[in-house]
Amino acid sequence: MTRPAPGGSRTGAPLDIDPELAGARSLRSGALAVTLLVALIALALISAGSGQLHVPPLEVFGSIMHRLGLDIGPMPGHANGESALWNIRFPRVAMALVIGAALAAAGLLMQAIFGNPLAEPGVVGVSGGAALGASATIVFGWAFLGEWTVAVTAFVGGLAATLIVYAMSRANGRTEVITLVLTGIAVNAVTGAGLAFLTFLGDTAAREQIVFWQLGSLNGSRWQQFGIVLPLVLVGLVVAFVVAKQLDLLSLGEKSARHLGVNVEGLRILVILVVALLVGASVAFAGIIAFVGLVIPHLMRMIIGPAHLPLLVVSTLGGAVLLLGADLVARTAVPLADLPIGMLTSLVGGPFFFWLLRRTRRSSGGWG
């Protein structure tokens, strides 16, 4: 018989300790991870070959194998196929994979420390701060770091907003979740006002850049950018995997977690900083991409349950699949146009969030 742990799980079903049920969930998690990995590889091959210059998936695969020194598969038949793949397509695919995984992991971490499946990275002001930093750079024409100036100021702005939210919500050595949420709302309101003011100050070209950056895009991704984002995301993911077991204990409730030896306040600080790192690194080069961190973790939790270690694995894979698919649609839906990827993820995430809101309200018997 299944016995829920004391207090249950705040972000999903109770943490089960029945060996048979745990084994079934482990099998389901493994099957889902393999399915997502296969889908990811197939989608990456299709995405890399799609565009104005079509390259069949087998030729994409052959190009990768030949770069690895293996004489497997056909090479691209078009004269410019190899150059298009390695200079344009593959950097964009790689950025979509890494950023999708980072945003999904950040969303999972936010839901874990807030104990609420409706939480997402924007709660702590990362996206708003990043948008403010990038917009200020665009409007005032800052170029002290050359072409990297917008990315760096966006990252710094996101991290600064997160630290301000945390500092203002901390009192007597502790941080209450509800205070953190309300402080995040206030800081987001301030950054929104600052963004509106900068949009007002900017000329037509600056306004167009600001709007496009806010909608998110992977257009123009390069290997140099990938080389910067990848280490930051890897550090964040490694820390997330390390604290996954502690997040399981935290889901039992703060008091129970403390009795089991978890430094709740230290864990919360660490997770918030990791979220800022993951989201800041992502939006610095891709702009604001909404709802990936909300949709994927909750969907994965519905399938495999609340245990955070397997949930983190499938969420990172699911986030990569979602963003890669959205980027493929963004590049191919309208001929000779590149749609904002944030618009597409919002089209998926908006209805999902509404459904999730209604579902949560029904299950909890109201918000009062």
Side-chain angles (χ1 to χ4, degrees):
M1 181 176 179
T2 302
R3 292 184 297 151
S9 172
R10 298 176 297 163
T11 53
L15 293 175
D16 302 288
I17 57 176
D18 187 323
E20 292 184 5
L21 185 56
R25 282 185 169 171
S26 177
L27 184 61
R28 189 158 63 241
S29 301
L32 179 59
V34 171
T35 301
L36 289 171
L37 184 60
V38 172
L40 185 62
I41 294 173
L43 190 58
L45 294 176
I46 295 171
S47 180
S50 300
Q52 296 181 40
L53 174 61
H54 178 69
V55 181
L58 282 178
E59 294 183 4
V60 175
F61 177 76
S63 178
I64 296 174
M65 291 297 101
H66 281 78
R67 282 293 179 110
L68 295 176
L70 303 174
D71 190 15
I72 302 175
M75 290 288 288
H78 195 281
N80 296 324
E82 187 80 355
S83 176
L85 286 176
W86 289 96
N87 295 326
I88 300 174
R89 304 277 179 79
F90 284 147
R92 184 161 180 163
V93 168
M95 287 288 279
L97 296 180
V98 172
I99 291 175
L103 294 176
L108 173 60
L109 293 174
M110 289 297 297
Q111 292 172 13
I113 63 169
F114 282 103
N116 192 325
L118 301 178
E120 59 99 22
V123 170
V124 292
V126 184
S127 299
L132 189 63
S135 299
T137 303
I138 293 170
V139 171
F140 298 125
W142 295 338
F144 48 86
L145 292 175
E147 61 179 325
W148 304 99
T149 307
V150 172
V152 172
T153 53
F155 179 80
V156 172
L159 182 60
T162 304
L163 295 177
I164 290 172
V165 169
Y166 177 76
M168 293 180 65
S169 61
R170 185 176 173 85
N172 299 322
R174 295 184 58 186
T175 305
E176 294 183 359
V177 171
I178 186 63
T179 305
L180 194 68
V181 172
L182 294 175
T183 306
I185 292 173
V187 170
N188 279 327
V190 173
T191 57
L195 191 59
F197 181 66
L198 289 172
T199 304
F200 173 77
L201 289 180
D203 56 21
T204 302
R207 290 172 185 170
E208 290 179 355
Q209 281 186 271
I210 291 172
V211 170
F212 190 75
W213 193 90
Q214 284 183 277
L215 293 175
S217 176
L218 294 173
N219 188 25
S221 296
R222 303 192 306 276
W223 286 120
Q224 296 94 323
Q225 297 173 345
F226 178 72
I228 294 174
V229 174
L230 181 62
L232 297 175
V233 171
L234 286 179
V235 170
L237 290 179
V238 168
V239 175
F241 277 104
V242 169
V243 303
K245 293 297 184 181
Q246 295 185 59
L247 295 177
D248 285 339
L249 299 178
L250 182 61
S251 67
L252 304 176
E254 288 192 21
K255 290 185 179 179
S256 298
R258 287 192 178 95
H259 290 158
L260 293 171
V262 177
N263 181 353
V264 174
E265 188 65 16
L267 177 62
R268 185 167 289 143
I269 295 172
L270 178 61
V271 168
I272 289 175
L273 290 176
V274 169
V275 168
L277 178 67
L278 291 172
V279 179
S282 300
V283 302
F285 291 103
I288 297 176
I289 301 175
F291 285 109
V292 176
L294 172 69
V295 172
I296 292 300
H298 188 77
L299 188 61
M300 297 299 110
R301 187 181 294 107
M302 292 171 61
I303 298 174
I304 68 169
H308 286 89
L309 188 57
L311 191 56
L312 188 59
V313 173
V314 296
S315 291
T316 53
L317 290 172
V321 169
L322 174 61
L323 197 61
L324 187 57
D327 185 56
L328 175 60
V329 174
R331 290 193 292 111
T332 59
V334 179
L336 303 178
D338 200 318
L339 297 176
I341 193 171
M343 177 189 71
L344 296 176
T345 57
S346 294
L347 285 175
V348 175
F352 181 86
F353 183 77
F354 178 74
W355 170 81
L356 179 58
L357 196 66
R358 299 283 295 178
R359 179 177 180 271
T360 304
R361 189 170 186 262
R362 285 198 303 269
S363 64
S364 63
W367 299 108

